[in-house]
Coordinates of all heavy atoms in Angstrom, one line a residue:
V299 N 135.7 122.6 102.0 CA 135.5 123.2 100.7 C 134.4 124.2 101.0 O 133.2 123.8 101.3 CB 135.1 122.2 99.6 CG1 134.9 122.9 98.3 CG2 136.2 121.2 99.5
G300 N 134.7 125.5 100.8 CA 133.7 126.5 101.2 C 133.2 127.3 100.0 O 133.0 128.5 100.1
L301 N 133.1 126.7 98.8 CA 132.7 127.5 97.6 C 131.4 128.2 97.8 O 131.3 129.4 97.4 CB 132.6 126.5 96.4 CG 133.9 125.8 96.0 CD1 133.6 124.8 94.9 CD2 134.9 126.9 95.5
L302 N 130.4 127.6 98.4 CA 129.1 128.2 98.6 C 129.0 128.8 100.0 O 128.6 130.0 100.1 CB 128.0 127.1 98.4 CG 126.6 127.6 98.6 CD1 126.3 128.7 97.6 CD2 125.6 126.5 98.4
V303 N 129.5 128.2 101.0 CA 129.4 128.7 102.4 C 130.1 130.0 102.5 O 129.6 130.9 103.2 CB 129.9 127.6 103.4 CG1 129.9 128.2 104.8 CG2 129.1 126.3 103.3
D304 N 131.3 130.1 101.9 CA 132.0 131.4 102.1 C 131.3 132.6 101.5 O 131.6 133.7 101.8 CB 133.4 131.2 101.5 CG 134.3 130.3 102.3 OD1 133.9 130.0 103.4 OD2 135.3 129.8 101.7
R305 N 130.4 132.4 100.6 CA 129.7 133.5 100.0 C 128.5 133.9 100.8 O 127.8 134.9 100.4 CB 129.3 133.1 98.5 CG 130.5 133.0 97.6 CD 130.0 132.5 96.2 NE 130.9 132.2 95.2 CZ 132.2 132.1 95.2 NH1 132.9 132.2 96.2 NH2 132.9 131.8 94.1
L306 N 128.1 133.1 101.8 CA 126.9 133.4 102.6 C 127.3 134.0 103.9 O 128.5 133.9 104.3 CB 126.1 132.2 102.8 CG 125.6 131.4 101.6 CD1 125.0 130.1 102.0 CD2 124.6 132.3 100.8
S307 N 126.3 134.7 104.6 CA 126.6 135.2 105.9 C 125.3 135.1 106.7 O 124.2 134.9 106.1 CB 127.1 136.6 105.8 OG 126.1 137.5 105.2
G308 N 125.4 135.4 108.0 CA 124.2 135.4 108.8 C 123.4 134.1 108.9 O 124.0 133.0 108.9
R309 N 122.1 134.2 108.9 CA 121.3 133.0 109.0 C 121.4 132.0 107.9 O 121.4 130.8 108.1 CB 119.8 133.4 109.1 CG 119.5 134.0 110.5 CD 118.0 134.3 110.5 NE 117.7 135.0 111.8 CZ 116.6 134.7 112.5 NH1 115.8 133.9 112.1 NH2 116.5 135.3 113.7
A310 N 121.6 132.5 106.7 CA 121.7 131.6 105.5 C 123.0 130.8 105.6 O 122.9 129.6 105.4 CB 121.8 132.5 104.2
R311 N 124.1 131.4 106.1 CA 125.3 130.6 106.3 C 125.1 129.6 107.4 O 125.5 128.5 107.3 CB 126.5 131.6 106.6 CG 127.8 130.8 106.8 CD 128.9 131.6 107.1 NE 130.1 130.8 107.3 CZ 131.3 131.1 106.8 NH1 131.5 132.1 106.1 NH2 132.3 130.2 107.1
R312 N 124.5 130.0 108.5 CA 124.3 129.1 109.6 C 123.4 128.0 109.2 O 123.6 126.8 109.7 CB 123.8 129.9 110.9 CG 124.8 130.7 111.5 CD 124.5 131.1 113.0 NE 123.1 131.1 113.3 CZ 122.3 132.1 113.5 NH1 122.8 133.3 113.2 NH2 121.1 132.0 113.9
A313 N 122.4 128.2 108.4 CA 121.5 127.2 108.0 C 122.2 126.2 107.1 O 122.1 124.9 107.3 CB 120.3 127.8 107.2
L314 N 123.0 126.7 106.2 CA 123.8 125.7 105.3 C 124.9 125.0 106.1 O 125.1 123.8 105.9 CB 124.5 126.5 104.2 CG 125.2 125.6 103.2 CD1 124.3 124.6 102.5 CD2 125.9 126.5 102.1
E315 N 125.5 125.7 107.1 CA 126.5 125.0 107.9 C 125.8 123.9 108.8 O 126.4 122.9 109.0 CB 127.1 126.0 108.9 CG 128.0 127.0 108.2 CD 129.4 126.6 107.9 OE1 129.7 125.3 108.0 OE2 130.3 127.4 107.6
T316 N 124.6 124.2 109.2 CA 123.8 123.2 110.0 C 123.5 122.0 109.2 O 123.7 120.9 109.6 CB 122.5 123.8 110.6 OG1 122.9 124.9 111.4 CG2 121.7 122.8 111.3
L317 N 123.1 122.2 107.9 CA 122.8 121.1 107.0 C 124.0 120.3 106.8 O 124.0 119.0 106.8 CB 122.2 121.7 105.7 CG 121.8 120.6 104.7 CD1 120.7 119.8 105.2 CD2 121.5 121.3 103.4
C318 N 125.2 120.9 106.5 CA 126.4 120.2 106.3 C 126.8 119.5 107.6 O 127.3 118.3 107.5 CB 127.5 121.2 105.9 SG 127.3 121.9 104.3
G319 N 126.6 120.1 108.7 CA 127.0 119.4 110.0 C 126.1 118.2 110.2 O 126.6 117.2 110.7
V320 N 124.8 118.3 109.9 CA 123.9 117.1 110.1 C 124.4 116.0 109.2 O 124.4 114.8 109.6 CB 122.5 117.5 109.9 CG1 121.6 116.3 109.8 CG2 122.0 118.4 111.0
A321 N 124.7 116.3 108.0 CA 125.2 115.3 107.0 C 126.5 114.6 107.5 O 126.7 113.4 107.5 CB 125.4 115.9 105.6
T322 N 127.4 115.5 108.0 CA 128.7 115.0 108.6 C 128.4 114.1 109.8 O 129.0 113.0 110.0 CB 129.6 116.1 109.0 OG1 129.9 116.9 107.8 CG2 130.9 115.7 109.6
L323 N 127.5 114.5 110.7 CA 127.2 113.8 111.9 C 126.6 112.4 111.5 O 126.9 111.4 112.1 CB 126.2 114.6 112.8 CG 125.8 113.9 114.1 CD1 127.0 113.6 115.0 CD2 124.7 114.8 114.8
A324 N 125.7 112.4 110.5 CA 125.1 111.1 110.1 C 126.1 110.1 109.6 O 126.1 109.0 110.0 CB 124.1 111.4 109.0

């Protein structure tokens, strides 16, 4: 679900993707 992620780009998108990835990994 990319409601927020799809609206971002660059560092902001990578930061949010990283946060989602860490939650998924946990």
Side-chain angles (χ1 to χ4, degrees):
V299 178
L301 295 173
L302 181 58
V303 173
D304 290 345
R305 292 178 183 11
L306 300 173
S307 62
R309 286 182 183 221
R311 179 179 179 137
R312 285 197 340 256
L314 184 57
E315 293 276 16
T316 301
L317 182 65
C318 292
V320 168
T322 301
L323 181 61

